Amino acid sequence: GKLYSVQVNAFSAKYGTQATESVDVQITSGNIIAAIKGGIIRSVKPGETITLDASASYDEDVDVASSDSQAISDMLTGFSYEWECTQSEPALSSFCSFDVINDVALEPWKLSLAYRSQTNDNTGSFNTVSTVVLTVVDTTTGRSDRTRLNVIGVSAETAEVSISTSSPAYVNTDEKIKL
């Protein structure tokens, strides 16, 4: 943040007096908010690929609602995106139970995961859960935030439920969403 010193001088011509008062004001930067579109639990069926999209991440110092598309694009390209994927179920592993497909140079805020039909232990992605952790870093200031989601490998017969909204892209996470 930045520290500013504000000084006010007052002079009374009628009484010939003056007074000076000063105060220091500390301005702090807002937070970087890491966000992945589509919720915190995603599922993948055989033959499917899902794309995780972190373009909903933002800097609280940038008024996204009133900014033009160029300002938002500049904000997104000013971030670095670090993706990690590890298997969390049925057994913890440092390896992702999905095939990672990513073109970091083209769209670093996206990560694609494909259902793996077979792995070395013959299980593939079925009935596995991988945890994906996204770290977004402002390359100018070093401010950062992390978020995570779980990706579940499901069978082809699994029922699918989705919720869509016409509300703004950014919601207060402390408030309940009415359905």
Side-chain angles (χ1 to χ4, degrees):
K2 295 182 180 180
L3 181 65
Y4 294 93
S5 184
V6 179
Q7 182 174 336
V8 176
N9 296 316
F11 177 74
S12 171
K14 181 177 181 180
Y15 298 107
T17 59
Q18 80 176 31
T20 301
E21 190 65 41
S22 64
V23 65
D24 291 335
V25 178
Q26 178 77 35
I27 305 296
T28 58
S29 297
N31 294 315
I32 298 297
I33 307 297
I36 302 172
K37 293 179 178 181
I40 60 170
I41 299 175
R42 305 283 293 275
S43 60
V44 183
K45 294 179 184 179
E48 285 186 345
T49 298
I50 62 165
T51 299
L52 306 178
D53 183 349
S55 65
S57 301
Y58 63 98
D59 181 343
E60 288 182 329
D61 292 341
V62 176
D63 183 3
V64 178
S66 62
S67 294
D68 62 20
S69 60
Q70 183 60 48
I72 293 170
S73 175
D74 291 346
M75 177 187 65
L76 291 174
T77 56
F79 292 156
S80 69
Y81 302 85
E82 301 166 12
W83 296 92
E84 299 173 40
C85 180
T86 56
Q87 181 177 300
S88 50
E89 292 179 28
L92 187 61
S93 170
S94 61
F95 297 102
C96 187
S97 52
F98 298 88
D99 289 326
V100 177
I101 306 163
N102 195 15
D103 186 352
V104 176
L106 186 61
E107 294 180 308
W109 54 86
K110 290 186 179 180
L111 177 74
S112 294
L113 300 174
Y115 190 97
R116 185 180 297 162
S117 58
Q118 185 108 359
T119 58
N120 293 339
D121 60 4
N122 295 321
T123 60
S125 298
F126 181 65
N127 277 345
T128 64
V129 177
S130 283
T131 300
V132 176
V133 177
L134 166 68
T135 304
V136 177
V137 180
D138 181 329
T139 57
T140 303
T141 65
R143 294 174 297 145
S144 66
D145 189 35
R146 297 179 87 169
T147 189
R148 67 182 60 230
L149 66 81
N150 286 329
V151 180
I152 304 167
V154 297
S155 71
E157 294 81 32
T158 302
E160 195 171 300
V161 176
S162 66
I163 299 173
S164 62
T165 180
S166 60
S167 69
Y170 304 100
V171 296
N172 183 344
T173 56
D174 295 330
E175 293 180 11
K176 292 183 179 181
I177 297 175
K178 294 180 183 179
L179 300 176

